Amino acid sequence: MEMKTLIAQIVDAAVRTAYPGVDAGINYEALLEVPPDSKLGDFAFPCFKLSKALRMGPPMIAQKLAAAIDRPEVCTAQPVNGYLNFFLNRGNFAKDTLQKVMAAPERWGSGNEGEGKTVVLDYSSINIAKRFHIGHLSTTMIGNSLCRIYGFLGWHTVSVNHLGDWGTQFGKMICAYKKWGNKEEVEKGGVDAMTALYVRFHEEAEKNPELENEGRAWFKKIEDGDPEALEIFNWFKDVTLKDASRVYDKLGVQFDYYTGESFYHDKTDRVVNELKEKGLLTESDGAQVVDLSDDNMPPCLILKSDGTTIYATRDLAAIFYRKDTFHFDKCLYVVAYQQDLHFRQVFRVVEKMGYPWAKDQLVHVAFGMVSYEGQSLSTRKGHVLYLDELLDRAVEKALAIIEEKSPNLENKEEVARQVGVGAVIYSDLQNSRIKDIDFWWDRALNFDGDTGPYVQYTYTRCCSVMRKAGEVTAQPDYNALLDDEAQLVLRLLARFPEDVRAACRTNEPFMITRATTDLAKAYNKYYYEHRILDGEPGEIAARVQLTDAVRQVIKTGLYLIGMEAPERM
């Protein structure tokens, strides 16, 4: 049982003892606070919420509750100005926390509350025939982290890369390929070769506008299932995914399905027909829309005036396909905040179609913009940083730092890969997802402060202590962990499961990043203040066990945000 939950139960029992027959109807755990100064206690309960139900002033309530509490093996309670301050039994708290963590070291914080439930996660969503740039980093890493967090809590996860693979531009690309390209060049040049063909098409179209019609004709062939058009189109997708897989491999990201817009093209009839049957389609300038004026939103376009579908139609088809196929309990869309209106419209259309689950089960996980060293990204202005280049440069810079700091390290290249890639991931997930991100090299690769290398280095420090300690056979003397530094580490260890659940509940991976960083900082302070391997055998055993618990939980935290944990740096 979590300590916060136990303290809440103690408060509840004290209220029932001091005021029998009174049901205050209060969630005591939700009201418990952590004082800013440990001298004020480990937890504090504000008695003000009880004043109305008990018809008594908070200071008097605090005094009566303190008198009703007799749990010295857990804590002592002191009334202070309307607050009930709880001081944990530090020795028992240390023993209880460490024994729980070490009972399942790599699973501390996990749970089975998601057992029997399925979550579909739609993220990354790269575009066919375009290179993977830094703008795709947030959707990819937030989605990957959430996939791991949900899975850690027992959910069955289904990860989907919703490819941008539909539209007239693909007809133009086929047209360009047929006129000026060849298979060998595209196979060798990959996405860059396809991009060059697309650019040439537009240059030639300025001289010969008739090319636009040829491009549209090729896309019509794709829509109609023409064998040659589909063969080239699917080959373009294969080449793009081969190129993207190099980046995904570097990031440690995998997907269960790569199903993009083209996959749902032949599934839109069900949506359109059902909307018609339910009288939800209205005409607007020749187009078919769903009126959302009652929800203070513009209409949701379903069919353009020429009868073709739009991405909203395909998103609706995807929702019903995923519901029918995976029977999801939640479907997350990790997409930038600029698409907020689009998803509000689409989700509301599903509700209006008579599916109330849309309100709770369809979730837009929005995130902010990414810039690079003060410059916003713009393809037109040339401010584009491709993700594979970013990762390669991060690894190179990490290797240079390691060469300087640890020239005798045996596996420098592997550690540089872990540190460099980890620094990029950490930079993306260190703040609330809705905040804009400005990536700077000197910040990301700093070995001090709130950075990925700092947390990874703390993990290697714990590994070093464990190697020096060797086999410890003495029984831990938990009285060696009564100091403030050890107690802060223990509180953070005990709180980690709560942090994991908060991250899942709010779809905010940064909560794991913050919890792991706070733990690393607390342990480093403890490390500098105390000689871990000096003293009586029982004292050493307790400090080593604390170190081992920190090591395991940092590794778990790094895993949950998609980072690796090198044992030496």
Side-chain angles (χ1 to χ4, degrees), residues 132-161:
F132 204 146
H133 60 73
I134 193 175
H136 291 106
L137 180 63
S138 290
T139 173
T140 304
M141 298 324 302
I142 292 170
N144 181 63
S145 178
L146 289 176
C147 195
R148 294 185 179 197
I149 291 168
Y150 274 87
F152 198 58
L153 294 176
W155 289 71
H156 171 59
T157 61
V158 179
S159 55
V160 180
N161 197 328

Side-chain angles (χ1 to χ4, degrees), residues 377-447:
L377 302 176
S378 172
T379 305
R380 291 181 181 179
K381 295 180 180 180
H383 297 158
V384 177
L385 182 61
Y386 295 115
L387 197 48
D388 57 341
E389 295 176 1
L390 172 68
L391 295 173
D392 289 344
R393 287 169 63 184
V395 172
E396 289 173 8
K397 288 178 178 289
L399 181 59
I401 294 171
I402 291 170
E403 291 275 13
E404 179 185 343
K405 291 180 177 287
S406 305
N408 298 320
L409 188 65
E410 291 182 1
N411 56 337
K412 284 181 285 199
E413 289 77 13
E414 174 64 8
V415 173
R417 181 192 65 78
Q418 293 173 313
V419 173
V421 173
V424 173
I425 294 171
Y426 185 99
S427 296
D428 192 72
L429 299 181
Q430 72 179 115
N431 293 308
S432 173
R433 55 182 161 76
I434 205 63
K435 289 188 69 174
D436 292 340
I437 297 167
D438 190 7
F439 184 89
W440 290 79
W441 288 114
D442 57 346
R443 295 178 199 162
L445 289 167
N446 197 327
F447 278 66

